[in-house]
Amino acid sequence: MSEIKALMFDVFGTVVDWRSSLIDNFTAWAARKGIKGDWTALVDGWRGAYMPSMDVIRKRPESDFVILDDLQRQSIEPLAAKLGITGLSPADFDYLTKGWHSLDPWPDSVSGLTRLKTKFIISPLSNGNVALLTNMAKYAGLPWDLVLSAEVFRHYKPDAETYLGAAKILGLTPGQVMMVAAHNNDLAAAQALGLKTAFVPRVTEYGPHQNRDFKADGNWDYVVTDFNDLADKLGC
């Protein structure tokens, strides 16, 4: 598809392994601090609060947009209390929230993105805020050309403003942009607006709780095994 000029990537789950990264980080941190808690349950519960917290923001005017870091910070204290994790200071909760800034990439992410960058503009198109995505890129070595996020457009995916805004800000038509994601619903929203689509499975994203996105459920333009396979198919 020679008309494709830019690739937009979902990040959490598609580019980085958020679950294992956070569990490992928090378990080691808690051991150093002498804090006891079920960190696996905390991470899974925190991710469970992700979409509901953004749904609240979607109902508000653009002027009332709240970035993901702030939503995550609001979610973590009541969740910790519910799980019986006590003795945490405000600084501790800030540390846990910043854990989302330092997530490990999947094994193929950096090499695949580096290859794709030789031929296409590459950027995240994530619900993460700009500082989060920038810090993550520095930590994980993600070679983005720029960082686009929900914060830029003051709308969370799957709002149309995010996908169409990404094309507009690059001076491209929707058909010149391809959304790359491990989530069928993300691709469905992009495809409905005229973007090209590529599905890459990340079947261990949710660990034992994974119950969807094991395979492509739509008529996507590309279905690949990983980012290097996508690079192969796109001639990079």
Side-chain angles (χ1 to χ4, degrees), residues 14-15 105-114 200-202 225-229:
T14 300
V15 178
W106 295 110
D108 59 281
S109 290
V110 174
S111 59
L113 290 173
T114 300
V200 51
R202 302 298 192 188
T225 57
D226 60 21
F227 287 173
N228 281 302
D229 185 27

Side-chain angles (χ1 to χ4, degrees), residues 22-40 42 85-86 88 92 95-96:
L22 292 174
I23 291 170
D24 291 349
N25 179 351
F26 297 166
T27 300
W29 171 81
R32 293 194 301 270
K33 301 263 297 184
I35 300 170
K36 297 187 181 301
D38 186 341
W39 305 104
T40 298
L42 180 82
I85 300 173
T86 60
L88 298 180
D92 291 331
Y95 175 86
L96 295 173

